Structures are given as C-alpha cells and as structure tokens.
Amino acid sequence: MNPTLTKHRLRVGSRLGKYRLNRRIASGGFATVFAATDTLLGMPVALKVVSADLVDEVLLDQFRREVRLTIGLEHPGILPVRDTGFESGHLFMASPLASKTLSDRLEKRFGFETAFDYASQILSAVAFAHENSVIHCDIKPENILLFDDGVLRLADFGIAKVAMTTASGSGTGTIGYMAPDQAMGKPSMRSDVFSIDLILYRMFSGHWPEYAFDWPPAGAANLRRRLHRDSIHVIKKSIEVRPRDRFADASAMGSAWEATRSKALRFAKRQRSR
C-alpha cells in the first residue's frame, strides 16, 4: 500500500472533491461506480472510484492503462472519459451518466428493429476497438450502457488487452460471457466476437447459450421465428467453439451482419403481418 494514501470511506451523500455522490450504481472487486453530480458544472456523471484499500502499484498501473486505452478510443459507441484524478486516497474516473445498462434492458422484450440496431451499435464500437488493436475481453450486458437518445456505449476496458502477434492472458473475463479459448487464457479478437454473439443470441431468442455451445442452443425456435436465415448464419458462425471458425474480428462480423439488414427487416415485417 502506498503510505501516502489516506483512507476515506465513501458514502452516498458525501463528496469526493467536486463530486457529490448521489447513489451507488455498481460495485466490484476493483472499484465502485456512483451516480454523481459535478458540483462545479452542475451536471450528472458516472464516477468510477477505485477503493483506497486496494490501491497498490499493480492496480495503479491497471487504472492508468484503462484511462489511456479509453481516451485513445474516440467513437460514439465507446464511453468517453471526462475527468480523472486522485482525491482522499481514491483514484476516480468520470464519464457521462447512462440511463441504464443493457442488462437492465434485457429484462423486457425487444422490438425487432431495436434489437437489430443495438446489435449494429455494439458491433460498430467493438470493430473500432479492434481496428485500433484493442481487445476488450469483458463484453457483457453490464458493460454496455444505454443512454436516453437510444445510443449504446461500451464501457470498462479495465482488462482489455492490446493485441500483439500472439495475445495471452490468464482467463480474465466474466464466466458465462466469454469464449472457451479466452477462459483458457488465450484471448483474441475472435473471443470478443464470441461474447458479442452471446448478447445477440439473447436479444433475438430470449435465451443465453450455455456451455458446451452446441448448435442449436436453447431458444433456436424463437430465433428462427424472428430472424432471417442469413442473419442466423452470422450468429451461428460467431458462436463456433473453435476460434478459427469464427469471424476474425468485429469488423468482419459487423460487415456480414449489415449485409443481412434488408432481408432481415423484410422478413421481420412479413412475420408480424401473419
């Protein structure tokens, strides 16, 4: 522990520098996220605060890497960093405040056009990261934020890997949302493709595919009722267990997905008219 850090427990209603903490949004082993108010600008923000009890050089490096990665990824579908700092023994990062997460939204049924648009937004954001040699490694509904204007933004690059010729890791990610190869410590852009696909399958079928990811997973009948076969082919290819059988990255998956748009929309319209 850095001896210069002063422990200061944060509570809803208290202040951290210029930020007033209004409510707790989420907590994890690394940080807590608060809905807060920037009292100087009078605007709402999401404030990610690293626990003072856990701050050491390793976590400081992790935090710095997340900030640098995120600042370098300027895209409408990636949550931007508005401010960072150190106050009362806490590192913090301020970002725009979303209305909810995709996980919250998944509790209700999606209209077809909304689901297709959300899929396209997710693919566009991850494709941009991949084009900049960044693998997210933790794509899940909780890390996709929904704003009131209908825009989705991908957040939390805390365990992202900068792609090298060969990327390796230690199985970091979230169980249930990651590819088998990532769970075995071999993350790649194809791993992110797999994680995106789990979300798409859930949005259109109402079910989560489960290990061992044999095709067709539970909910395939719902998928066939809602999606054109060309779109289903994209989903099927993206969930292949062997990485080399998937799309190489989110850019390739996104191009294949968009190529099915007109057929998918016509198919959905015919299904509704029956």
Side-chain angles (χ1 to χ4, degrees), residues 3 7 19 71 78 97 115 126-127 136 144 169 171 175 213 269:
K7 294 183 180 180
Y19 297 101
I71 287 176
I78 294 176
L97 181 64
V126 183
H136 189 278
I144 299 172
I175 297 298
F213 306 111
K269 185 176 181 180

Side-chain angles (χ1 to χ4, degrees), residues 8-17 19-22 34:
H8 173 64
R9 296 292 180 185
L10 297 179
R11 297 179 176 84
V12 171
S14 66
R15 294 275 291 266
L16 184 64
Y19 297 101
R20 183 176 64 249
L21 309 182
N22 300 324
F34 294 92

Side-chain angles (χ1 to χ4, degrees), residues 196-210:
I196 295 168
D197 195 68
L198 296 180
I199 295 172
L200 267 59
Y201 193 94
R202 169 62 179 82
M203 286 197 298
F204 288 100
S205 75
H207 291 78
W208 283 110
E210 296 181 356

